[in-house]
Amino acid sequence: MKPSLFRPFVIAATLGVFLTGCAKSSPDAAAPAAAAASGTKIKLGFIVKQPEEPWFQLEWKFADQAAADLGFDLVKIGATDGEKTLSAINNLAAGGAQGFVICTPDVKLGPAIAKSAAEHNLKLIAVDDRFVGSDGQPMANVHYLGLSARKVGANVGNALNAEMKARNWPVAETGVCAVTFEELDTAKERTEGAIEALTTAGFPADKIFKAPQKTSDIPGARDAVNILLVQHPEVKHWLICGMNDSAVLGAVRSTEGRGFAATDVIGVGINGTDCIDELSKSSPTGFFASNLNSAKDHGYNTAKMLFEWVKDNKEPPLDTRTTGMIINRSNFMQVLKDQGIR
Ligand code: FCA
């Protein structure tokens, strides 16, 4: 079969995947690339690595708001591995998109993603997880918006320390469980920031124990902490930190499984979006608080920055960082309401 005869099938198949693979496709998703040039709405993609995580759903919700406010079409795609990510980019290009925001499932895909975006002439902003180049260093030439991770980690460490003091726990009976995911730089910086704040406040370094997660989700954290708890039967009270709410939720579930009462556990997460059900429970659990990140900056502003870059050639800053604030059972309802999350 000659390539020219084969081509219509390839295009049809590509568009088919494009339409079924999107969380929501805009009305003209099947329109050719020419649509963008002929004065119809600009189309942008928003690809995330873990579409089931409330954090990413909230990023999408805010990006949708930006699309409605500014008048562009947004195509949301969950891409959980490298193959899905690269085909999502191809499909965005085939559907006439002009750029995308992405939280990649693997930061080492950075060079391949940047190459594909350049080949398709798509503008690109990395959100949350920063691309890593073939030299192992962050790709500083790719536009990025993410957490000021060490600072956010320090917020967590300080919150843990304050609550430990409020509960009058003897340091001798207390241990720190740091659920780590060190292959991801933003995760490593967060747990290191928490550990640094605790040691600066005087907590003994030899009572800080790491539980490395194999997967960055609740079961991954629970499995890692199950092992740690067996190794340290001497610890009566646990302080828990991790890269995000899921890490701390998994750890808290593990302490419950080992018979620890909620009063003997202080867990402080990060995101503030994946712990709403937990903080809403009628009785407190060991999940005490979280650093509420600015989902609006990560969802609305990245989409807006990309839109203005495509439309007006206004290039965004190369590196933008955000922090957030601590929420707990006493203030979370009000704060979430104030921030348009609830
Ligand atoms: C990473 C984590 C998410 C969220 C985000 C800001 O991508 O996996 O849970 O914390 O950074």
Side-chain angles (χ1 to χ4, degrees):
M1 191 185 282
K2 282 188 178 167
S4 59
L5 292 174
F6 188 58
R7 196 167 298 134
F9 168 75
V10 174
I11 292 171
T14 305
L15 288 175
V17 171
F18 177 58
L19 290 172
T20 52
C22 299
K24 176 195 155 204
S25 54
S26 47
D28 61 340
S38 70
T40 53
K41 276 184 180 176
I42 286 174
K43 183 183 293 178
L44 304 173
F46 204 120
I47 304 173
V48 304
K49 64 175 181 179
Q50 283 173 291
E52 76 291 350
E53 202 177 82
W55 167 256
F56 293 108
Q57 290 163 13
L58 200 60
E59 279 188 341
W60 272 349
K61 183 179 151 190
F62 278 116
D64 266 336
Q65 270 179 25
D69 289 353
L70 303 168
F72 60 87
D73 282 334
L74 185 76
V75 183
K76 294 169 292 188
I77 307 173
T80 48
D81 61 32
E83 205 180 313
K84 291 196 179 94
T85 304
L86 295 175
S87 89
I89 297 167
N90 286 338
N91 294 334
L92 281 170
Q98 289 170 274
F100 61 96
V101 177
I102 183 167
C103 179
T104 171
D106 180 351
V107 290
K108 292 198 222 73
L109 290 170
I113 296 171
K115 183 165 173 271
S116 175
E119 278 166 8
H120 290 300
N121 204 16
L122 295 170
K123 296 210 161 35
L124 154 70
I125 296 178
V127 70
D128 301 337
D129 297 358
R130 199 174 189 196
F131 291 0
V132 170
S134 48
D135 58 357
Q137 295 304 309
M139 291 177 67
N141 59 340
V142 173
H143 296 74
Y144 171 68
L145 183 146
L147 285 189
S148 189
R150 207 160 255 272
K151 220 163 162 185
V152 165
N155 285 350
V156 169
N158 290 331
L160 287 170
N161 182 54
E163 183 61 15
M164 176 185 79
K165 297 252 157 75
R167 293 191 195 182
N168 288 316
W169 287 356
V171 170
E173 295 176 1
T174 305
V176 171
C177 160
V179 184
T180 57
F181 192 66
E182 299 198 336
E183 46 272 61
L184 179 62
D185 190 63
T186 181
K188 185 165 191 266
E189 287 283 308
R190 295 175 200 184
T191 42
E192 281 185 358
I195 290 170
E196 195 174 75
L198 283 161
T199 50
T200 303
F203 198 88
D206 63 352
K207 304 201 69 200
I208 299 176
F209 309 110
K210 289 184 179 178
Q213 316 177 249
K214 290 208 177 83
T215 54
S216 64
D217 52 13
I218 294 176
R222 198 185 45 219
D223 292 349
V225 176
N226 280 343
I227 298 168
L228 184 74
L229 295 185
V230 172
Q231 289 168 341
H232 292 284
E234 77 285 2
V235 175
K236 302 282 174 276
H237 318 279
W238 282 105
L239 301 171
I240 300 171
C241 63
M243 72 173 280
N244 57 15
D245 289 340
S246 298
V248 175
L249 283 170
V252 167
R253 294 291 90 89
S254 172
T255 58
E256 289 164 352
R258 293 280 301 172
F260 283 87
T263 46
D264 287 321
V265 176
I266 304 169
V268 178
I270 292 172
N271 284 358
T273 51
D274 312 0
C275 57
I276 298 176
D277 290 347
E278 185 78 7
L279 294 177
S280 305
K281 286 181 176 168
S282 53
S283 309
T285 70
F287 192 104
F288 175 70
S290 181
N291 186 85
L292 175 66
N293 308 338
S294 173
K296 189 161 186 182
D297 283 329
H298 290 238
Y300 191 105
N301 285 354
T302 50
K304 181 170 185 261
M305 278 155 48
L306 183 66
F307 174 72
E308 290 174 347
W309 194 8
V310 168
K311 182 171 162 283
D312 304 324
N313 207 23
K314 187 178 156 204
E315 188 182 340
L318 269 169
D319 190 347
T320 308
R321 300 302 176 118
T322 67
T323 47
M325 61 176 292
I326 295 290
I327 54 168
N328 58 32
R329 283 172 70 92
S330 60
N331 71 351
F332 80 101
M333 280 294 192
Q334 191 55 45
V335 175
L336 295 178
K337 218 164 122 196
D338 293 347
Q339 300 211 358
I341 295 170
R342 271 278 154 122

